Amino acid sequence: MRIIIAPDKFKGSLSAPDVCTHLEKGLQRGAGGNLDVVRIPVADGGEGTLDAAVGSGFTRRSAVVAGPTGEPVTADFAVRGNEAVIEMAAASGLALLPAGALVGGRPGPVEARTATSLGTGQLIGAALDAGCNRVILGVGGSANTDGGAGILQGLGAALLDAGGNELPAGGAALARLDRIDFSGFDTRLKHTRFVLASDVDNPLLGAQGAAVIFGPQKGATQQDVGLLDAALARFVEVLAREIGHRAIKAAEAPGAGAAGGVGYASLAVLAATRRPGIDVVLEFTELEQRLAGADLVITGEGSLDEQSLLGKTPMGVARAAAGQGVPVIAVCGRTTLEAGQASAAGFEDVYALTELESNVDRCIAEAGQLLEQLGTQISGRLAANTLSRSARTKEDLHV
């Protein structure tokens, strides 16, 4: 039997490659090592996208760049031929905020105003140095609300106030923006195509914009939210003087508000094409082609719920498998889906760690071991189903 394992990460517990490892171990244990298992870790364009790329044959590279508060961090990216995959969280993510920047374990208001996407721009520069002219930018988990201004700075643009001084990092400083000098902007960008892998459809500004919707998650107070939204509006106004009406049009486009507005700079300046993250990942992992000859696909994520049905990783995998006529089952930490919902989504069965351990904290801490148990359980049921089908066939043939 040939089984494809194509899960997303179990957030807070295991990376997608780790999920693959533990699940395969359990499957093989239950089948006496007789399974042909193919591991294809996947993601929805956010955190985990880099792991999915490396698992699909990209080479991991690293560069020292500015973290979200300006401190140097070593960030990974992935390269295959002339294509690069950059996971924004690796350079500008919330998880990179230093302990001193956290208040009760959460980002504080200072960081909400000053966090920058500069390191992501520098990481793009490292990909260009590696000879890449196609860049997939996976966004999610960002600490900044700077409209992607930091990315432009990382690529050579200068953001200046009325006195000709370079602005400090962060979204709040954009309120003092007077002009943008693109004379030092990396000329290689003219020949580089960008894909913005994002499912966020928020615009940059206003009630559904980056500051209002996502700012509080990054430590912004209500006062900060208003300040940041006004600063982003100023960014659009000044950028429009430099590049024309497309700067205004891009601010209204779906996805402009992604990753603290990094979607905006990507669309307006880098001329990125926005695509659903799972579609981008499934494309570079070549999942559809690798489904040929498969008997079963196993996908999943930490929490399989109504949000999953809106196009997250398991749904993308189920859709690809359905196109090839391959049955799909899901594994997860927990699920809130009813049997009818799971079936309608394309899953023949759903296995949750909470079926083995009701204590959610223990599920998180012992996810690997529990996944192995689930794998063994799945193998047992597959074997039983095979025997049952064989018996029915013999009966039909009067053997």
Side-chain angles (χ1 to χ4, degrees):
M1 176 173 278
R2 186 167 189 262
I3 298 177
I4 305 290
I5 306 178
D8 202 340
K9 63 188 176 300
F10 279 31
K11 192 169 184 178
S13 297
L14 299 170
S15 67
D18 288 338
V19 172
C20 291
T21 297
H22 287 290
L23 193 54
E24 180 181 4
K25 189 177 293 186
L27 288 166
Q28 296 287 18
R29 182 185 300 149
N34 295 319
L35 297 175
D36 176 14
V37 176
V38 178
R39 306 182 197 178
I40 309 177
V42 289
D44 60 7
E47 294 167 272
T49 300
L50 184 62
D51 284 336
V54 173
S56 300
F58 283 70
T59 300
R60 190 182 295 269
R61 304 278 188 96
S62 64
V64 177
V65 300
T69 58
E71 79 294 349
V73 298
T74 299
D76 290 349
F77 63 105
V79 172
R80 183 172 65 188
N82 67 341
E83 186 174 39
V85 173
I86 289 175
E87 185 178 302
M88 186 182 173
S92 311
L94 277 168
L96 296 177
L97 290 173
L102 304 179
V103 179
R106 295 175 57 82
V110 172
E111 286 64 41
R113 297 189 296 269
T114 61
T116 177
S117 58
L118 173 64
T120 300
Q122 294 170 334
L123 210 52
I124 292 172
L128 299 181
D129 291 342
C132 298
N133 58 19
R134 184 174 190 268
V135 177
I136 295 170
L137 183 58
V139 298
S142 64
N144 57 281
T145 310
D146 68 352
I151 284 184
L152 303 186
Q153 290 173 304
L155 292 169
L159 277 61
L160 308 172
D161 64 17
N165 304 303
E166 183 117 22
L167 292 179
L174 295 173
R176 307 198 308 274
L177 182 64
D178 182 69
R179 64 187 181 91
I180 304 173
D181 181 359
F182 281 103
S183 62
F185 209 47
D186 198 316
T187 57
R188 295 173 295 182
L189 294 167
K190 294 178 182 178
H191 309 291
T192 304
R193 291 176 297 140
F194 287 87
V195 175
L196 177 68
S198 172
D199 298 319
V200 171
D201 59 6
N202 301 69
L204 179 67
L205 305 173
Q208 296 300 313
V212 175
I213 299 300
F214 305 114
Q217 302 170 12
K218 303 174 184 185
T221 65
Q222 280 304 111
Q223 182 178 358
D224 292 329
V225 166
L227 182 155
L228 288 166
D229 191 56
L232 291 173
R234 176 63 179 172
F235 181 38
V236 175
E237 178 186 347
V238 174
L239 187 59
R241 295 205 303 261
E242 304 292 342
I243 67 172
H245 183 70
R246 75 174 187 270
I248 298 172
K249 185 177 179 180
E252 301 166 352
V262 160
Y264 172 65
S266 301
L267 296 169
V269 181
L270 302 181
T273 300
R274 174 177 167 261
R275 295 183 58 200
I278 183 60
D279 289 355
V280 174
V281 174
L282 293 187
E283 184 176 283
F284 71 62
T285 58
E286 300 179 337
L287 177 69
E288 288 193 12
Q289 297 92 312
R290 296 166 76 180
L291 283 170
D295 299 292
L296 177 69
V297 173
I298 304 177
T299 187
E301 60 183 348
S303 180
L304 191 66
D305 50 34
E306 284 74 11
Q307 289 293 316
S308 305
L309 304 181
L310 300 178
K312 297 187 75 176
T313 298
M315 289 299 297
V317 174
R319 185 173 64 246
Q324 302 281 341
V326 183
V328 183
I329 62 176
V331 295
C332 56
R334 68 179 185 93
T335 183
T336 60
L337 297 183
E338 297 178 358
Q341 290 176 298
S343 178
F347 305 120
E348 292 204 350
D349 212 341
V350 176
Y351 295 80
L353 302 188
T354 51
E355 295 173 3
L356 303 176
E357 172 53 67
S358 59
N359 185 305
V360 175
D361 289 337
R362 288 191 64 184
C363 280
I364 293 172
E366 301 172 13
Q369 177 186 335
L370 292 170
L371 264 176
E372 291 178 24
Q373 292 182 41
L374 275 188
T376 302
Q377 187 181 107
I378 292 168
S379 278
R381 292 189 185 179
L382 291 175
N385 289 341
T386 300
L387 289 172
S388 176
R389 286 196 298 271
S390 177
R392 287 197 301 272
T393 300
K394 288 180 179 180
E395 185 177 319
D396 291 342
L397 295 173
H398 305 290
V399 174

